[in-house]
Structures are given as structure tokens and as C-alpha cells.
Amino acid sequence: MLAAVVLLLLAGTTRLLPAAAVVALAAGAGATLAGVRLTRLAVRLPGRDPRPAAGAAVEARPTPSATAHRRPAVLLLDAAVVAAGLTAATLPLLGPQRRAATAAGLVVVAVLGLLGLRGLPGRSRPPARVRLRRLADAGAPAAGLVLAGWLLLPPATGSAPERLAAAALLGVLGVAGLTALTGAHRRPGAATCRGGLHLTLLGLVLLAVFDPAAQWPLLLAVPPLLVGMLLVAAGAARAVAAEPVALHPAPAWLRAVVPAVALLVAVGRQLDAGLPTDRTAVLLALAAVPPLVLRELLRAGEARPERQRDEPTGLVAAPADESPSPAAAAAPASLVAAPLPQPLDQLADGPALLRALTVLGGNPMPAGALLVVELHLADGAALPARRAGVLAEAVRRARAVVDRRDLLAQVGDAGFAVVTEAGPMRAYALGERLLAALTQPYQLGGAALQVPASIGLAEVATGSPQDVLRQADLARRRAVQLGRDRVEWYDAFLEEQLVRRLDLERELPGAVARGELDLVYQPVLRLDDRQPVGTEAFLRWRSPVLGTVLPDELFPVARDLDIVGELEWWVLDRACRQLAEWSANSRQLWMSINVTTSELTTPDYVQRTAAVLAAYGVPPEQLVVEVAEPGIGGELSTVVARLAGLRSLGVRTALDHFRPEHASLAQLRRLPIDLLKVGAGLVDPAPDAQRPLIDVVVNVGARLGVEIVAEELESSAQVQGARRAGCRYGQGFALARPATAERVEAYLEEFPSASR
């Protein structure tokens, strides 16, 4: 498409095509491509499932709170791009009303685009001092572009005030676009989107200003208009994907070069045409002086005497007796409050760390990064003497890795922070080198101790010191959650995930007592006659604060809080009670429940299960206990014993998530199970190479007397494939969806003869 646009521009410059036609074709192509990308992006974002048909057994899937707000933002940006394309594409048809219609389109695009930008994730507002400095930095380039626009715009554009307003708009939009695309920022996706919107508006302003009869001025609007729309789509995709910040430095020199080149071209044209210099041009040239003076004054104010660049830690500026600053008091307590043991007394303190971040963030071109390092001292390293030795050795290793100008400061009681002036790529490489050095064994007292480490990394950019500290600490927590011994970047989506995790950890304890747990049931059907023979119970947490939470998100948190057993015993109790109610109505169905390996291997699991069955008078053969095959691992002997104990009660057992591998098939012979559940991938008719696998599983199951249940069937083709392969039972959305007990009862009314 870009090649076609280049050909169109060549045709326009050689007057093979009218300029208005070139603009219309190029803008229409760009808007189409960008609009399609944004539309597909909005469709892929998660939302609520369509409402089920009346009487269907279905459960609405909740919208994830972390991404629900992004779809409206993407749709608004999509509408802005389409509006820009329509405005430019209808240029040849507008006639005398061209300028008014283009101005109206400009306003619509600006409103839609700004609303869309506000909805993108990770928005942050820098401090007032930073905003003032950014205005001072952009003032001189903006004055240069305004002067260039004034000299380049023909007098026929309109009256002097109209011409000056058009030049000012061109200059402001141009500088805003350059700043968004080349400035130091933590949101490359949102910044790219913002820069693209500014370029798009710049192109529309050019269309509104120039006469459509003029050939080359209109062609100047094509590049910013086309590139702007594509950048809006690309930036929105990166923003909603929550990509980490780019590892390549932004080309900041463009902010100085582009206005200078534009001004040279404008002055050269002015001199070549022999036009005199008017008063407005002189005033615009003088307007560049105040921003330059203000910028130098701000720089001079930031040159603090305590920033001693000759010291090995070039960012240190902290007298030993200085009391914590208000900024330090506002920082996260986990980062600066806890005193460190003696081996780390040589490190900088919290106020010095905050001052170093302030200095880096206050530069005209902010750069640098903060790395927060945590050492996971446990087991043999937990003794005070060994702990002090490990921390002292860790500091020594860190000093051997970091640059002499980097600052090492204390954070918490088992780690430290590194403030570096290096760019993003070098900062990440520094984190990898630190990790490699810190995770080497520590030789203490004749023993080798292995100490894991986690590193969180955040760019200093233009955020406040407290924001940078919080972001680096969130990245460190993410590294811990992902298994330690890793370096993690901060990004906006990461923060949303961690906040969500904290909310889950806060609200989940006590959910059973508050009555917030619920069960939904998915029918299991016999494939030959589509009769329901059983159901499987799935846990749902109906939190009034967080909405409906599914097991995939619920159980990792419950595992960390050590309350999985409480939840699973609640599921067993509620499932047996529901099974007793259905049995009283002559519904002879089995009920499957899922149990984790850790809970199944508890010594009293069989006895407690028997007690629950007896309490509700449920026949044991109507209960099916499922355990996931991947979780058995080294607990195989204990799992075999517990499953055998359940079968001795009459309870049926099932192996879930079975993988048709050699080890799994060999292990299957040892497990005392009645049902084997396989995924839809084995019975899907599409991949021919997988068809023999289900045949092997069915043959092994027949020899062992195990019935095969095909689960996760989501299409009629998968249902037919499971039936042809010999699976007796099926389960999935193509047969029946999970639903509440009331909906399942209504569904079962259609099968009066349903029985086991």
C-alpha cells in the first residue's frame, strides 16, 4: 500500500492526477488499512459472551476487569481514523464548502481521537515542574515551525489572522507529534498513538488551509495524514497489548532537525521569491527566544551542588545526618523504611535514592532506569550471621558489575536498588549481569548456599520518584511470582495484573463464610443417544467486589494462601447436597468433582469423603472424584492408594486432562480409575496425524475396563469424531454449557428417562 501511495504522489507531482484525487485515494487506502486493524483489535479484546437463547443451559462468562475498558478506547480511535479518511476522501466532491467540511471533519477527528487516547491503559500525569520543562523544550521548535508555516502559506490562504492561526496550528501539531514520537516516555504504544493522531490532524489542517487547485501544497498533506493513521493503529495495538517499553533510544534529534530544515526551506523560498520580511515574521522569530531562556534557567536550577560527579557513585548526594525528606516519607514503606544489617551500611539511604531519581527525571531529555533487587534468603541463609555474610557478598558482587557512576541504595532488609543513567537496553543488560552474579553459590562456613534473586526494572523517564519506585517494586513482585531468578520490566498491564492479584488475595479469605461461593454444573451426555448421564461441578466465586472469578484465576491465589483444602471440601459438601436433591426427584445422575493432588493425598481424605456421603445419604457410586493427570507426578504411589480407598467405598474415580504419551499410558495401568477424560484435540477430525492416538487410548481403556469421556467438545464435528473413535460419553459446549442448578434442572426436564 505504501508503494502504491508513493506512485500516487509521483503521479501527483507530474500532474498526471489532480492533487485532490491523490489525497482522496491515499487517505482512503490508509484509513481502510488502519480501520481494519483497529476493528480487528477491538474484536479480539475480551468482552461478555452473547446472551443465551431462552431455556438454554448456559453461564455468561465475565468480562476481565483488566481489559474491559480498552475496547471503547480502540473503537473511538477507529472512528477517528475512519472520519479522517472520509474527510480527505470526499475532498474532490466538496466544492465551495470544502474548507468548512474539512474543518468540521478536523474537529470530529480531534474529539474522537482525544477521547480514545484517554481510555488507553497506563496513563500518567507528570509533575508540574516536568510539564513546564517540556513546554520550554518544545517552545523553540514550535516557534520555528510556526514561522516556517507563516512563510510557506500563500497570502491567498485568508486574512492575516487566519493565516497566522493556520501557521500556529501547524506548528503546534507538528511539535506535538514529534515530541510524542521521539520523547522519553514509558508508554511507547500510547505515545505512538498520540503522535499519529497529531500527524493526522496536521494533514487535515493542511487540507483545510491550501487551495485544492494548488498541486504540491495538497500533496504535502499526504505523508502526515497517511503515516498518522497507520501510527494510530500501530500504537493502539501496542498499548492494549501492554508491551514493555522499547529497548531502543528514541531519535530525539528529530525535534531539532525537522523544525530547522522546515525553517531553512521556508526562508530559502522567501528569498528566492524576493518577498520582503514582514513584521509578523520578525515577531515569530523573536518568539523563539523566551523558551530558550526559560529552558536554560530550568537547567541552571537543576544543577545542584551536591551532585558530585567525581565520586564512584556519580548520583549520590546524601549527608549522613540528613533526615528523610517528605518525598521519602511518601515512598512505599517496603522500599525505604526498613533498616539494613551492618554489611549494607555503606549503601546510600532512602533520601539519596529519591534525589538521584529526581535528578535523572529532571533532565531535559530524561533517561536512566531503576533496578530493585531482592535476595530470597531462606533455609541455610536465614541465620543472622550467614545472612549478613550473604548480603555483604551480594553488595561486593553488585559493585563489581555496575558502572562507577551508578548509585547503590538500600531497599528493604534483603536487597538493594541500582540507579543507572544507562538507556533501556543497557539497563536491562545490567540487570541480566547482576542476576548472573548474584545467583552464583555463596561460600559461607565451608558450605555453598544457593540464593535466588528477583529484579524489577522501571525507566525513570518523566515520572515522579515515588512512581518509579512503585513501578520497579511491582516489576520485582512480578519476577517473584514468575519463579524468581529473572528480570522483569514494568508495564501498565503488569500493574493491572498485580492490583487484581492483591484484590483477590484480600477478598478470598472468608469467601466461604460470607456465602460468596457457588457451583455451576455441566451435563455429561451419552454420545449414542444424547441422554444426560451425569454432571460435573465447577466452582465459581461470586465476589461483590471483583465479580465472578473462575477457577483458573481462583485456585493459584488459594494455593498461595493455603486455603485450597477449605474450598475443595466446600465443593464436595455442596455437590453432594445437590446430588441428594436430584436423587430425591428420581434423577439418577453421577456428580463429578475435581480434587487437587495435594488434597487427595491427605491422610484422611477417604474417611472425610465417606462422612460427607453418609451425611446426605448419597449412594457412593453416584460420586465421581477426578484428579488431573499432569499433577500426579511424584505422588503416584499415594494417589494410587487414595483412589483405591475411594473405590473401596463405591466412589468412582476419573483421570482428567489425560495426555496420550508413553509415560502416561504406562502410568494408566497402575491407576485404579473408572473414567478417563481426554481432550477434544484427540478426536478433532482435522489433524489426520492425531487420529491413531485416540484409537490407542480407546483400546487401552477397553482392556483396562475404563470408560472414555471426551471433554471440551465445542463443535458437532468433534462430537461425531468422539463417537466414531469409540468414546462412550461426551462433555462440552457443543452438547451443554455449564449452568446453575435451576437451569440444569430445566434442561433435564427435556429428558424424562435420564438415568445412569
Side-chain angles (χ1 to χ4, degrees):
M1 194 203 72
L2 291 175
V5 170
V6 171
L7 293 178
L8 285 174
L9 288 174
L10 290 176
T13 55
T14 56
R15 297 186 179 275
L16 294 177
L17 285 176
V22 173
V23 172
L25 292 173
T32 300
L33 180 58
V36 168
R37 291 190 62 183
L38 289 169
T39 301
R40 293 178 61 186
L41 177 63
V43 170
R44 288 198 302 267
L45 289 175
R48 292 194 178 273
D49 290 341
R51 300 188 66 178
V58 63
E59 179 197 8
R61 297 180 179 176
T63 302
S65 61
T67 53
H69 65 284
R70 298 176 180 176
R71 179 178 289 176
V74 174
L75 291 176
L76 285 170
L77 293 173
D78 190 5
V81 167
V82 172
L86 289 175
T87 301
T90 56
L91 187 65
L93 308 176
L94 295 177
Q97 303 299 324
R98 172 192 58 82
R99 179 167 295 180
T102 306
L106 177 66
V107 173
V108 171
V109 173
V111 172
L112 293 175
L114 291 176
L115 291 176
L117 287 176
R118 289 177 60 87
L120 290 180
R123 298 181 66 247
S124 62
R125 184 176 178 85
R129 179 180 55 80
V130 175
R131 296 198 299 273
L132 178 60
R133 188 187 62 255
R134 291 171 63 181
L135 287 176
D137 291 338
L145 286 179
V146 172
L147 177 57
W150 172 264
L151 296 177
L152 290 174
L153 289 175
T157 302
S159 62
E162 292 176 346
R163 183 181 168 197
L164 180 59
L169 190 57
L170 289 173
V172 171
L173 289 175
V175 169
L178 288 173
T179 301
L181 295 176
T182 63
H185 45 70
R186 292 169 295 169
R187 297 190 301 142
T192 301
C193 194
R194 185 171 64 249
L197 178 62
H198 289 145
L199 290 179
T200 303
L201 295 175
L202 177 63
L204 292 177
V205 170
L206 292 174
L207 294 181
V209 167
F210 288 115
D211 187 353
Q215 190 77 0
W216 70 267
L218 282 187
L219 297 180
L220 290 178
V222 173
L225 189 62
L226 178 66
V227 174
M229 289 187 290
L230 296 180
L231 286 177
V232 168
R238 295 178 62 185
V240 300
E243 292 184 2
V245 291
L247 296 181
H248 301 284
W253 55 268
L254 286 175
R255 278 191 285 179
V257 172
V258 171
V261 170
L263 191 56
L264 287 175
V265 171
V267 172
R269 179 177 176 274
Q270 185 88 350
L271 295 176
D272 183 65
L275 298 176
T277 303
D278 56 10
R279 181 181 302 175
T280 304
V282 175
L283 293 176
L284 290 176
L286 293 176
V289 176
L292 292 175
V293 175
L294 178 61
R295 185 179 65 178
E296 294 304 319
L297 290 176
L298 291 174
R299 285 184 176 180
E302 292 167 353
R304 303 186 180 185
E306 66 267 22
R307 189 179 179 185
Q308 304 169 3
R309 293 187 175 272
D310 294 333
E311 296 186 11
T313 57
L315 295 171
V316 177
D321 58 348
E322 185 173 353
S323 60
S325 64
S334 62
L335 291 177
V336 298
L340 289 172
Q342 183 64 29
L344 299 187
D345 283 349
Q346 56 188 314
L347 295 182
D349 58 4
L353 173 62
L354 291 171
R355 277 193 298 275
L357 294 174
T358 302
V359 169
L360 284 182
N363 288 335
M365 292 300 298
L370 172 66
L371 296 90
V372 174
V373 182
E374 179 185 2
L375 300 174
H376 302 285
L377 302 171
D379 300 327
L383 298 176
R386 291 191 173 186
R387 178 188 184 89
V390 170
L391 292 174
E393 174 63 16
V395 172
R396 187 193 65 79
R397 295 181 185 182
R399 290 198 184 280
V401 172
V402 303
D403 188 84
R404 66 183 299 270
R405 296 179 53 78
D406 295 340
L407 170 69
L408 270 72
Q410 62 181 31
V411 287
D413 58 354
F416 53 90
V418 179
V419 182
T420 177
E421 294 178 335
M425 181 183 296
R426 292 171 55 200
Y428 189 84
L430 173 61
E432 292 287 352
R433 294 198 305 271
L434 275 173
L435 190 64
L438 297 175
T439 54
Q440 294 296 320
Y442 293 78
Q443 300 294 333
L444 297 173
L449 299 179
Q450 199 72 37
V451 179
S454 301
I455 301 179
L457 175 60
E459 273 197 282
V460 174
T462 57
S464 67
Q466 291 76 22
D467 286 340
V468 177
L469 282 168
R470 178 180 54 81
Q471 292 164 3
D473 194 46
L474 288 174
R476 175 196 59 79
R477 295 185 58 179
R478 181 61 172 171
V480 174
Q481 289 182 358
L482 294 178
R484 304 177 178 180
D485 286 341
R486 59 191 300 132
V487 181
E488 283 296 319
W489 278 95
Y490 165 82
D491 60 65
F493 183 58
L494 163 66
E495 184 167 1
E496 292 180 1
Q497 286 182 311
L498 290 175
V499 170
R500 171 75 172 179
R501 176 68 180 234
L502 292 175
D503 291 340
L504 291 169
E505 292 177 353
R506 184 185 66 251
E507 297 293 332
L508 182 55
V512 175
R514 295 191 300 267
E516 295 174 0
L517 299 185
D518 190 16
L519 288 182
V520 294
Y521 308 90
Q522 185 174 35
V524 180
L525 275 60
R526 195 164 46 226
L527 293 180
D528 55 358
D529 57 4
R530 300 292 182 93
Q531 290 290 315
V533 295
T535 60
E536 181 175 359
F538 295 106
L539 179 63
R540 297 291 185 266
W541 176 21
R542 314 290 188 185
S543 171
V545 177
L546 304 172
T548 300
V549 182
L550 302 181
D552 288 344
E553 188 180 16
L554 170 62
F555 273 95
V557 179
R559 191 176 299 111
D560 290 343
L561 297 176
D562 197 22
I563 58 174
V564 173
E566 178 184 0
L567 300 182
E568 292 192 343
W569 284 113
W570 182 91
V571 171
L572 175 63
D573 182 87
R574 182 58 57 91
C576 289
R577 188 174 75 179
Q578 185 61 59
L579 191 57
E581 293 179 5
W582 284 342
S583 298
N585 295 327
S586 302
R587 296 290 183 190
Q588 299 300 315
L589 303 170
W590 80 57
M591 176 77 73
S592 295
I593 62 168
N594 293 275
V595 61
T596 59
T597 304
S598 60
E599 192 61 30
L600 179 64
T601 53
T602 54
D604 61 343
Y605 184 82
V606 176
Q607 292 79 3
R608 293 179 66 181
T609 302
V612 174
L613 291 172
Y616 290 105
V618 175
E621 63 271 11
Q622 290 186 244
L623 178 66
V624 178
V625 176
E626 297 184 10
V627 60
E629 190 264 338
I632 294 177
E635 302 287 343
L636 179 60
S637 299
T638 309
V639 170
V640 169
R642 296 294 181 271
L643 294 179
L646 290 172
R647 294 186 79 189
S648 67
L649 294 177
V651 175
R652 291 196 288 175
T653 58
L655 188 63
D656 198 6
H657 300 305
F658 180 73
R659 301 169 298 179
E661 302 170 355
H662 177 74
S664 300
L665 291 170
Q667 184 175 268
L668 183 60
R669 301 177 181 274
R670 296 186 56 187
L671 292 170
I673 59 173
D674 301 286
L675 299 172
L676 182 64
K677 306 189 78 170
V678 299
L682 290 180
V683 299
D684 198 322
D688 294 336
Q690 291 186 358
R691 289 181 183 175
L693 293 179
I694 187 61
D695 295 336
V696 172
V697 174
V698 171
N699 290 334
V700 172
R703 292 183 181 182
L704 299 177
V706 176
E707 297 287 356
I708 308 299
V709 180
E711 59 181 348
E712 300 174 357
L713 302 176
E714 298 187 357
S715 68
S716 57
Q718 290 177 341
V719 174
Q720 295 301 324
R723 183 179 178 184
R724 286 195 302 268
C727 299
R728 185 175 182 186
Y729 305 115
Q731 177 182 354
F733 282 12
L735 298 172
R737 292 174 175 259
T740 60
E742 294 77 9
R743 285 181 175 270
V744 172
E745 290 174 2
Y747 171 78
L748 294 176
E749 291 297 331
E750 303 176 12
F751 307 93
S753 60
S755 65
R756 181 172 59 82

